[in-house]
């Protein structure tokens, strides 16, 4: 299965959302991550869609060709089961922001 990792691009992060928890996002009126704010930093074929295992891989045992920072709060991981926002503890299922959300 294909797994994709998205991270906020610091240069486009005018609202300073990088590394903020989902509670912080929602308490400040953000209801969904904006794909335009994120960069796809890695895509790979995986034998698992277990988010905790993916987190461990990209924090403790990066693939040799992985050049981004460790997966952290505010990153989005896409699995065949959907999009998931990395929170302070656990994961929040999300969808990309739609234009009509603005």
């Amino acid at each position: 299965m294909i797994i994709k990792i998205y991270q906020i691009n610091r240069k486009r992060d005018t609202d300073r959302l990088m590394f903020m928890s989902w509670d912080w996002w929602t308490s400040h009126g953000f209801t969904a991550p904006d794909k335009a704010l994120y960069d796809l930093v890695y895509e790979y074929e995986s034998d698992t869609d277990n988010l905790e295992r993916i987190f461990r891989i990209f924090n403790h045992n990066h693939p040799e060709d992985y050049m981004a920072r460790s997966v952290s709060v505010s990153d989005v991981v896409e699995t065949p089961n959907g999009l998931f926002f990395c929170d302070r503890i656990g994961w929040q299922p999300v969808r990309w922001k739609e234009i009509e959300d603005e």
Side-chain angles (χ1 to χ4, degrees), residues 4-101:
K4 297 179 182 180
I5 298 173
Y6 298 89
Q7 294 179 338
I8 292 176
N9 180 300
R10 188 178 307 271
K11 292 178 183 176
R12 294 192 300 268
D13 186 16
T14 58
D15 292 312
R16 296 186 173 187
L17 299 171
M18 186 184 292
F19 305 125
M20 295 300 193
S21 71
W22 187 247
D23 283 343
W24 188 95
W25 277 53
T26 58
S27 71
H28 287 79
F30 297 94
T31 58
D34 184 349
K35 193 171 185 178
L37 183 61
Y38 283 78
D39 291 332
L40 173 62
V41 297
Y42 199 67
E43 182 175 347
Y44 73 106
E45 182 72 33
S46 177
D47 62 350
T48 185
D49 61 356
N50 179 289
L51 294 166
E52 293 306 317
R53 186 164 169 215
I54 292 167
F55 182 86
R56 282 191 305 275
I57 290 168
F58 288 93
N59 277 273
H60 302 293
N61 192 21
H62 296 197
E64 284 186 33
D65 63 339
Y66 183 71
M67 299 301 168
R69 63 172 168 70
S70 295
V71 169
S72 188
V73 174
S74 77
D75 293 349
V76 173
V77 172
E78 182 176 355
T79 75
N81 297 316
L83 296 172
F84 299 91
F85 181 97
C86 183
D87 210 351
R88 286 182 295 148
I89 299 173
W91 299 84
Q92 295 294 326
V94 294
R95 60 180 174 76
W96 292 123
K97 179 179 180 178
E98 300 291 332
I99 292 174
E100 58 269 10
D101 287 348

